[in-house]
Amino acid sequence: MVAKRKSLGGDSGSKKIKVSIDTSRAAVQPVVASFAAAVPPVASTFATYKSVDKNKASECIVVSETEKIEYVGQTFEDNKPLFTGCQYLVGVYDKTTDTVTFRTAPYVRINSTIKSLKDSTGVVDRDISSRIIQARNELGEAFGNKKRKAQIRAEERNRINMDSVKGDMSVIEASIGVRTSSMPTAQDLKGLENANRPIPKYDPEATKPEDIYDMDDVLPKPIASHINVTPLTKATDVDGYRQNLPVRSLFVLKKVESLLLNQRKPDIDLLRRVVYLSYLMKFFTFSASALKNRDKCVELLMCAPEVSDQIFEKFTECVAGSVNPDGSPVVIRTPASESKLVCHIAVLMLAVNNWVVYPLELSADLGLPIRKAEKFLTSVGCKLEVASADEIATCVMSKRPKAGASKKAVLKAPIEFPKQSMHRAR
């Protein structure tokens, strides 16, 4: 039998490869093996034993061992060959003579035995239940049908598999110990969770509410310098304030009024925070289609380009590979960035209101359900407390106060965040 292969030299001719069958009785012969359970190391060596009986010349046994496991394989089972009707050949290619030599290779199924599970006589120690199973299997082998015998052999292979696992128990335990030692602790997980919260930078060790949040992270000083409050300081009434604010918020309007009308020298830094709060509230109202027209958004925000750029960069995400008709990148407000925006709004409302906010105010200005507003306020570290009727009447500046909304959110030091619930909401 001759096969042809393309020449590696690139010539137009073809190279002929010779094929031969080796039938000699060599001292070292190839064996095809499969492992029912544990697989030995690559460097393991096996010894092959063949029957001296001419009638059983095709039968052989393969043996090897490691420190913990013995491997024994054979070409027969129940005095019958493992496979009939097929034969395995192993071929070796000799480059010098361009010859492939094939040799018949017997197939063996190698089973493993754990040395530690053997008694002094070398027989696997079995308890009473194992002996009962063994007796039942022997009956099945003697009187059972082919399906039952196949099932018994499968169960036997599975049992050996379990024994292999038992023998490697110390290795498994050591592996588990190594992996668990590198696992994060509960404190590490808590720190990771806090680091991923959609809130500004904070100091968990702060002892005063005003020291908890880094207001330079909420409103950086370079950005604050671009917030022009001169039109507000020149206005003389509430109507003038409304014309210079981008959003109709009673909370923002009352704060501006209290800073400019009730104080001889207004606090400019606090006034800029209130104006920046109005920018974020207005930005929250923009829909996905409105965000595509950036110039229009900047016009509606009524702020400097430096401020709008910072807001877009901080509270939106770019869509890779997409651009608007004007060439600017397409941005969207994802649920994560929206949560970050609302949390920053909540922190600003706390900062300009002595660290107390009524959930009803946040709900009214952002159009959120009252329960969702409460959830956002607790997520920034606030504690919900019952507010009296006088406090609601005096402090809440909503056009439509709701019955039952009698809570106030107070930021206290040291800050504590709500624990994640382990139960799914029904």
Side-chain angles (χ1 to χ4, degrees):
M1 182 171 60
V2 177
K4 292 184 179 181
R5 187 179 65 174
K6 289 185 178 180
S7 173
L8 297 177
D11 56 351
S12 59
S14 61
K15 178 180 282 188
K16 295 182 180 180
I17 298 177
K18 299 178 181 179
V19 176
S20 64
I21 304 296
D22 184 4
T23 59
S24 63
R25 296 180 61 86
V28 179
Q29 298 182 6
V31 174
V32 177
S34 65
F35 296 88
V39 178
V42 177
S44 300
T45 57
F46 284 80
T48 304
Y49 301 94
K50 303 198 72 174
S51 176
V52 295
D53 188 350
K54 294 182 179 180
N55 298 326
K56 299 181 179 180
S58 61
E59 295 182 0
C60 71
I61 299 177
V62 178
V63 180
S64 180
E65 66 176 339
T66 62
E67 184 180 352
K68 296 182 179 181
I69 304 176
E70 291 181 355
Y71 301 92
V72 178
Q74 54 192 20
T75 59
F76 55 90
E77 193 173 73
D78 299 334
N79 295 322
K80 296 180 181 179
L82 287 177
F83 289 98
T84 58
C86 65
Q87 188 176 20
Y88 289 93
L89 297 175
V90 175
V92 178
Y93 173 61
D94 187 351
K95 293 183 178 180
T96 58
T97 60
D98 287 330
T99 303
V100 178
T101 303
F102 287 96
R103 187 179 186 85
T104 58
Y107 171 79
V108 297
R109 178 182 291 130
I110 299 179
N111 297 320
S112 58
T113 303
I114 310 303
K115 293 181 178 180
S116 60
L117 299 180
K118 283 187 172 184
D119 58 15
S120 59
T121 61
V123 180
V124 179
D125 185 17
R126 295 182 174 88
D127 55 14
I128 295 177
S129 61
S130 298
R131 294 177 182 177
I132 294 175
I133 294 174
Q134 182 184 7
R136 186 185 64 183
N137 290 345
E138 289 176 355
L139 289 173
E141 288 285 357
F143 304 103
N145 54 23
K146 291 183 179 180
K147 184 176 180 181
R148 175 57 184 160
K149 291 179 180 179
Q151 182 181 2
I152 292 173
R153 296 190 188 99
E155 291 175 354
E156 184 69 13
R157 287 194 294 271
N158 291 336
R159 186 190 64 80
I160 294 174
N161 226 337
M162 293 302 298
D163 288 346
S164 300
V165 174
K166 290 179 182 178
D168 294 334
M169 190 65 69
S170 59
V171 179
I172 295 174
E173 290 176 353
S175 177
I176 292 173
V178 171
R179 282 164 173 77
T180 54
S181 63
S182 61
M183 289 178 63
T185 62
Q187 191 68 23
D188 295 334
L189 292 175
K190 183 178 179 181
L192 181 62
E193 181 183 359
N194 290 340
N196 292 331
R197 294 182 184 276
I199 59 177
K201 294 180 181 179
Y202 67 96
D203 181 9
E205 306 297 332
T207 57
K208 297 179 181 179
E210 57 269 22
D211 296 333
I212 293 177
Y213 283 103
D214 182 5
M215 297 311 296
D216 285 339
D217 181 58
V218 179
L219 178 58
K221 291 181 180 179
I223 301 300
S225 63
H226 291 284
I227 298 178
N228 185 15
V229 296
T230 302
L232 287 174
T233 57
K234 289 184 177 180
T236 57
D237 54 15
V238 176
D239 291 337
Y241 301 151
R242 286 197 183 99
Q243 293 176 4
N244 291 282
L245 292 172
V247 67
R248 293 187 176 276
S249 166
L250 289 177
F251 180 89
V252 171
L253 185 61
K254 290 295 182 180
K255 284 298 167 186
V256 172
E257 185 178 355
S258 64
L259 286 171
L260 296 180
L261 294 183
N262 301 334
Q263 297 182 15
R264 293 182 179 180
K265 187 177 180 181
D267 187 337
I268 299 300
D269 291 337
L270 191 59
L271 181 59
R272 282 173 173 166
R273 289 181 184 177
V274 175
V275 175
Y276 185 68
L277 172 62
S278 70
Y279 295 158
L280 297 188
M281 286 184 172
K282 184 63 178 180
F283 188 77
F284 181 80
T285 64
F286 292 160
S287 63
S289 57
L291 291 175
K292 295 180 180 179
N293 191 341
R294 186 157 182 160
D295 293 338
K296 184 64 176 180
C297 290
V298 174
E299 180 183 347
L300 294 174
L301 287 175
M302 300 172 61
C303 64
E306 294 81 2
V307 180
S308 64
D309 290 343
Q310 194 263 354
I311 293 175
F312 270 90
E313 180 180 354
K314 198 168 189 177
F315 302 110
T316 61
E317 296 182 13
C318 291
V319 179
S322 300
V323 294
N324 292 315
D326 59 358
S328 61
V330 175
V331 296
I332 58 173
R333 194 166 61 219
T334 63
S337 58
E338 183 171 303
S339 297
K340 184 178 180 180
L341 175 60
V342 177
C343 288
H344 278 66
I345 291 174
V347 171
L348 278 170
M349 292 178 71
L350 289 164
V352 301
N353 202 48
N354 295 322
W355 309 103
V356 178
V357 168
Y358 293 86
L360 185 59
E361 290 295 321
L362 184 63
S363 172
D365 286 337
L366 300 186
L368 299 174
I370 188 69
R371 300 304 177 198
K372 194 170 184 179
E374 292 176 353
K375 184 177 180 181
F376 275 115
L377 288 169
T378 56
S379 67
V380 299
C382 290
K383 301 291 185 183
L384 294 178
E385 299 178 357
V386 177
S388 63
D390 293 338
E391 287 178 320
I392 295 293
T394 303
C395 299
V396 174
M397 295 162 274
S398 174
K399 292 181 179 179
R400 298 179 297 277
K402 300 178 181 179
S406 57
K407 293 182 180 180
K408 60 182 179 181
V410 183
L411 185 66
K412 296 182 178 181
I415 191 171
E416 292 184 8
F417 298 105
K419 295 181 180 180
Q420 294 291 336
S421 175
M422 301 299 294
H423 302 283
R424 291 184 178 180
R426 294 183 178 178

